[in-house]
Amino acid sequence: MSAGPDLTLRLAIFTVLTLSGFTLAFMGYAFLLHLRAKRLERRREALEARWRGRLLDAGTGDASSPGGPAVTAQREVPEEDQTLFLDLVTEYARALEGPERKNLEELARPYLAALDPLLDDPDPYRRAYALDILGELGYEDARDRIAHGLEDDSGLVAMVAARALARHGDPSFVPVILAGLDGFGNWSANYLASLLTSFGPEAAPALRDLAFDTRAPDRLRSVALQALKELNDVESVEPAMRLLPEELHLEIQGDLIRLIGHLGRPEHLVVVRPFVTAAAPHVRAAALRAVSNVTDRRTSDVEMVSRGLDDPSPWVALQAARGIMTLGRRDELVALANSASPRADLAAEVLEAHR
């Protein structure tokens, strides 16, 4: 009977010792990581101290100096420091364009092979890191390898590859990126649209194919429509007009209306006006903004925008107030701001923003 407390005590001591062992092990591991980080930092500082003058010479276009690109064939960086060196050159290169940047790319060229093991590393962060450097310093020779990163199982790696391709603006890669766009689910639609806009107007045909394909996922169509708006793609207005009356998805409705409101003409509002009374507040707001931006200031449109001030949604009412300013009806807002209306503060806010 007396063994029970002894056994419990032994178990408690064993548990405490075990937990203490784990704690010490984790502390030791953290300490080793800290030492490794400090060692890498010291190596990088030593590299920068040695190469700063040469990098500055190359970055200012002095290719004929002893530290210019002509010395790159000598492979002066030890193998174990080559990745750190590429990271250092990337930091300098990001701030440059033109011949000066080319000088730094030439300086880095002999060492780019050091990235090969990282490109196939099991850790997606290492693969992404290598692709990012390759996109900055070795794009011309490695663009197919970078494009291959779009097929990576990691969304982070695929996005780094897409961003590298977008920086260089080659529209031939847009269809490939669009085909894999569904894999970028963790990235915001605004960010993806901005990325696609980086490819310039030549990306518009592929974006139109996606935007007006009613079989495509709605989120991807929304991204494409936002990019077309940012690219000022006037050719998108007519298909947007044809699609809007039949579109059932509320987000796409808003995107179509915003595109027409940004690029359309007064005659295009015939398909937008009915949405001023839509059920969804964001659709009503987009329609009011489009009408106030595109209208030829016919009386019915001005009255339509003014009625938006009474909308139960503050966001819709705000768009109406901004629209009234766009239409040159400042006096109407001044009167509202000086009244006892629940929208008086909103009118005053818009007036203050347009002082």
Side-chain angles (χ1 to χ4, degrees), residues 2-138:
S2 62
D6 290 343
L7 178 60
T8 301
L9 181 59
R10 287 197 295 270
L11 286 174
I13 293 172
F14 176 77
T15 302
V16 170
L17 290 174
T18 302
L19 291 175
S20 298
F22 277 123
T23 301
L24 289 172
F26 280 123
M27 289 175 62
Y29 181 64
F31 182 67
L32 289 174
L33 288 179
H34 175 72
L35 287 179
R36 181 177 182 273
K38 294 296 289 184
R39 188 165 57 250
L40 283 174
E41 183 180 349
R42 286 195 297 269
R43 284 167 52 193
R44 194 180 192 281
E45 288 174 353
L47 269 176
E48 183 166 12
R50 178 185 174 193
W51 281 86
R52 184 183 296 113
R54 302 186 185 194
L55 292 174
L56 290 174
D57 284 344
T60 55
D62 188 3
S64 61
S65 73
V71 305
T72 58
Q74 298 176 16
R75 303 189 65 83
E76 300 176 58
V77 181
E79 184 175 347
E80 65 271 17
D81 287 338
Q82 289 178 7
T83 302
L84 280 176
F85 175 71
L86 291 172
D87 184 81
L88 177 63
V89 178
T90 298
E91 183 180 313
Y92 280 74
R94 289 191 200 278
L96 298 172
E97 297 290 343
E100 292 78 14
R101 185 187 179 94
K102 287 292 184 184
N103 285 343
L104 289 177
E105 291 173 3
E106 287 299 316
L107 199 62
R109 186 186 298 273
Y111 308 107
L112 291 175
L115 298 174
D116 290 346
L118 294 180
L119 291 169
D120 297 315
D121 194 283
D123 186 343
Y125 289 97
R126 289 176 177 269
R127 299 198 300 275
Y129 171 75
L131 276 179
D132 185 49
I133 293 178
L134 204 57
E136 288 286 352
L137 301 178

Side-chain angles (χ1 to χ4, degrees), residues 168-354:
H168 295 273
D170 186 344
S172 66
F173 289 110
V174 171
V176 183
I177 292 176
L178 292 180
L181 205 57
D182 206 22
F184 298 139
N186 294 328
W187 301 87
S188 73
N190 288 339
Y191 181 82
L192 293 175
S194 176
L195 176 79
L196 292 166
T197 303
S198 301
F199 287 95
E202 292 182 355
L207 290 169
R208 285 196 294 269
D209 289 343
L210 174 59
F212 301 115
D213 181 358
T214 55
R215 299 164 299 178
D218 292 323
R219 180 172 182 272
L220 305 190
R221 294 173 60 208
S222 178
V223 168
L225 283 166
Q226 290 181 49
L228 288 167
K229 173 177 170 290
E230 294 303 317
L231 287 171
N232 295 314
D233 184 56
V234 177
E235 291 185 44
S236 298
V237 175
E238 292 298 332
M241 279 190 64
R242 292 193 295 270
L243 181 59
L244 180 58
E246 303 171 2
E247 181 58 56
L248 300 178
H249 192 274
L250 296 180
E251 291 301 324
I252 301 297
Q253 285 180 4
D255 290 325
L256 290 168
I257 291 169
R258 283 186 282 272
L259 188 147
I260 294 170
H262 182 64
L263 300 172
R265 300 188 299 275
E267 58 266 31
H268 296 138
L269 289 179
V270 64
V271 296
V272 173
R273 291 187 183 99
F275 289 89
V276 169
T277 56
H282 79 277
V283 176
R284 298 199 302 275
L288 280 172
R289 184 171 183 175
V291 169
S292 57
N293 284 347
V294 178
T295 184
D296 54 8
R297 305 197 177 192
R298 65 185 66 186
T299 303
S300 58
D301 282 346
V302 176
E303 292 175 348
M304 181 185 298
V305 175
S306 293
R307 285 195 298 271
L309 290 168
D310 298 321
D311 194 281
S313 166
W315 175 243
V316 177
L318 177 61
Q319 293 305 312
R322 290 172 175 170
I324 288 171
M325 287 294 295
T326 300
L327 293 168
R329 302 285 289 263
R330 180 185 175 84
D331 290 346
E332 185 175 340
L333 278 188
V334 171
L336 180 60
N338 293 325
S339 72
S341 167
R343 298 301 189 203
D345 288 343
L346 183 148
E349 178 185 331
V350 173
L351 286 167
E352 180 65 24
H354 286 80

